Amino acid sequence: MSEIPRLEDLEGRLDGLSGRRILVRTDFNVPLDDSSGATVITDDFRIRSALPTIEWLTERGAQVVAASHLGRPKGEPNPKFSMDPVRARLAELAPGVELLENLRFHSGEKANDEDFARRLAEPFSQYVNDAFGTAHRSHASVVGAPELFTDGRKAAGLLMEREVAALSRMVENPEQPYVAVVGGAKVSTKTAPLEALVERVATLLIGGGMANTFLLAQGHDVGKSLVEPEMLDTALEVLKRAGERGVTVALPTDVVVTDSLENPQVVEIVAAHAVPSDLMIVDLGPESRQRYANSILGAKTVFWNGPMGVFEVEPFDAGTLAVARAMADSDAFTVVGGGESVMAIKRAGVADAIDHVSTGGGASLQFLTGEPLPALVALED
C-alpha cells in the first residue's frame, strides 16, 4: 500500500495551520439509549478515539470543524439522530470544536453527490479523515469531498494512521502462526474476508451463526439453528481452499443448545454432530471454548471479528467471553474489530490488554481482503 498523507504533511506544505479552518471527518456513530426519556451515549469510545487528532490540530491553532453520521436517518432530518448528544459530549472533551449536524440528514451523503460534496468542502482550506469506521464507504464526506482538495491539503488523522499500521501487520507478512477468529451470524457478509484469510492464516476459528452453516455443509443436522442454506457451497469452497493450503479450519465440536432465546426451558451441551432437531445452537460448548483458547494462546498474530454465539443473551455469551480472555492472555499481536467483539473485550474487562481495538468492523474486514478502501484512495489522489 502506498503511503497516505499524514498530519505532518499538512503542516509542512502550508507553513503552519494557525487560523486555518479544517474539516475533520470523524466517526461519531456512537450507541445511544433513550429508554429513560433523555438520550444518553452508552459508549463514547469513538469520540475519545478522535481526540488525539483534534488536539494535534487545535494545538497548532487550527479551527477544527468535525463532521460525522449517526444512525440511519435515511437521507432526511430526523430528531432521533441529531448530533446534539454527541456535540455535548465532545464539548466536554474538546472545547471549542464545532460539530456539523448529521451528514446522513442529506441524501447526497450516501449517494456521493458531487454538489453536496462541494458544499461540504467549500468553507475549508484543508481536509482530514479520521473516520476509519466509514473508510470502506464511497460517501460524499469520505470520497467526494477529499477529492476536491489538492495534494498537500488533505491527510489521514492519527486514528486512521494507527488503524492502517495495525491492520497492515495482518496483511503484509504477518508473524506466524497467524490465527483468525471469525464469528457472527452470516457467512454471506464475510465471504471475501474468509477467502482472503485462508490465504494468510495458519488457523481459522469459526463460531457464531456462520459456524452452523459450515456444520450443515459438512452434513451435520443443526436443528432449528440459524443457517444460510444458499451459502453451503461457499462454505465447502472455503474448507476446500483451506485444505489445499494446509490451513486448519476449526469448527465447534460441542455446542450449547436451547429451545428459546426469550424464555429458555432447555439449555444443554451436546456434540456438534448430534444437535436435537427441535433445539438451536447458541454458543460454543466448553470443549470448543478451550480448543479455541489454546489456538489463540499459541499464536503470534491474532485477528478477531464477530461473536461466538448469541452474545447479547447472557447465558450464551460464554464462548465469546472465553475468546476475549484468551486474546488478552496471548503473547501474540492482537487486533479486535467489530462492534460486538469490542463490546465483549470491554465486558470481560480486558480491552486494555488488546494491542489494537479497531473502530471499524466492516472497514477492517475489507482491509484484510486487500481491496482498497475508498477513503484511503481519496486521500492518495
Side-chain angles (χ1 to χ4, degrees):
M1 172 177 289
S2 57
E3 283 291 317
I4 55 175
R6 306 169 63 192
L7 292 179
E8 290 85 350
D9 298 325
L10 285 185
E11 190 175 33
R13 294 286 183 91
L14 296 169
D15 299 321
L17 299 174
S18 182
R20 306 275 186 175
R21 273 175 64 81
I22 299 179
L23 177 64
V24 181
R25 181 41 161 114
T26 53
D27 181 10
F28 292 160
N29 187 28
V30 295
L32 301 174
D33 181 10
D34 59 3
S35 59
S36 64
T39 303
V40 178
I41 296 171
T42 58
D43 187 347
D44 66 357
F45 171 63
R46 287 183 169 181
I47 300 174
R48 288 183 289 102
S49 294
L51 294 180
T53 291
I54 291 171
E55 290 166 356
W56 192 96
L57 291 167
T58 55
E59 284 169 2
R60 287 158 178 78
Q63 296 176 275
V64 173
V65 179
S68 177
H69 72 286
L70 178 64
R72 298 176 177 176
K74 300 183 179 178
E76 59 185 32
N78 183 335
K80 179 181 178 182
F81 299 110
S82 168
M83 299 301 297
D84 286 347
V86 178
R87 190 174 290 111
R89 181 60 177 143
L90 181 62
E92 294 173 353
L93 297 170
V97 175
E98 186 181 342
L99 176 61
L100 300 180
E101 190 46 278
N102 194 331
L103 291 167
R104 291 188 186 172
F105 281 3
H106 305 269
S107 59
E109 166 65 358
K110 291 183 73 172
N112 192 19
D113 178 75
E114 185 177 340
D115 182 59
F116 179 66
R118 187 177 294 107
R119 286 190 287 124
L120 191 60
E122 254 176 359
F124 304 99
S125 58
Q126 287 100 356
Y127 169 94
V128 172
N129 194 331
D130 212 28
F132 182 75
T134 62
H136 59 315
R137 306 294 190 193
S138 295
H139 294 172
S141 65
V142 176
V143 172
E147 287 177 345
L148 299 172
F149 290 83
T150 57
D151 188 36
R153 291 181 179 269
K154 55 187 176 182
L158 299 176
L159 171 62
M160 182 75 79
E161 196 178 323
R162 288 198 308 274
E163 294 272 15
V164 170
L167 290 165
S168 291
R169 290 182 61 171
M170 304 277 148
V171 177
E172 301 164 4
N173 301 313
E175 189 174 1
Q176 297 289 349
Y178 174 13
V179 173
V181 190
V182 184
K186 297 180 177 181
V187 175
S188 56
T189 60
K190 296 178 180 176
T191 301
L194 285 171
E195 292 172 346
L197 285 167
V198 295
E199 300 296 320
R200 297 187 178 97
V201 303
T203 301
L204 183 60
L205 308 177
I206 297 179
M210 60 191 303
N212 304 339
T213 298
F214 275 83
L215 290 169
L216 184 60
Q218 291 184 323
H220 301 306
D221 184 358
V222 294
K224 293 184 176 179
S225 305
L226 172 69
V227 292
E228 291 182 287
E230 71 279 11
M231 299 305 295
L232 298 182
D233 288 344
T234 300
L236 289 173
E237 184 58 34
V238 170
L239 293 170
K240 176 175 177 288
R241 183 63 180 149
E244 292 170 351
R245 293 188 57 79
V247 172
T248 299
V249 177
L251 292 167
T253 50
D254 64 332
V255 292
V256 178
V257 294
T258 189
D259 59 334
S260 169
L261 294 177
E262 292 74 29
N263 184 27
Q265 301 301 306
V266 177
V267 177
E268 297 177 351
I269 297 166
V270 300
H273 64 267
V275 176
S277 60
D278 59 339
L279 301 180
M280 69 183 88
I281 299 172
V282 288
D283 196 11
L284 302 177
E287 177 187 288
S288 297
R289 289 173 216 156
Q290 189 60 58
R291 193 159 47 92
Y292 283 28
N294 289 344
S295 291
I296 293 166
L297 292 170
K300 294 291 186 183
T301 306
V302 186
F303 174 79
W304 178 27
N305 177 285
M308 297 291 99
V310 186
F311 170 65
E312 61 273 21
V313 180
E314 191 169 313
F316 311 133
D317 61 357
T320 302
L321 293 178
V323 167
R325 295 183 183 110
M327 293 280 288
D329 291 340
S330 175
D331 292 330
F333 177 70
T334 51
V335 174
V336 174
E340 290 174 305
S341 302
V342 173
M343 194 186 306
I345 61 172
K346 291 179 179 178
R347 189 185 295 180
V350 299
D352 290 344
I354 306 300
D355 291 304
H356 181 72
V357 180
S358 179
T359 54
S364 63
L365 286 174
Q366 183 165 322
F367 192 100
L368 293 186
T369 68
E371 184 180 344
L373 295 179
L376 301 184
V377 174
L379 291 177
E380 294 166 0
D381 287 346

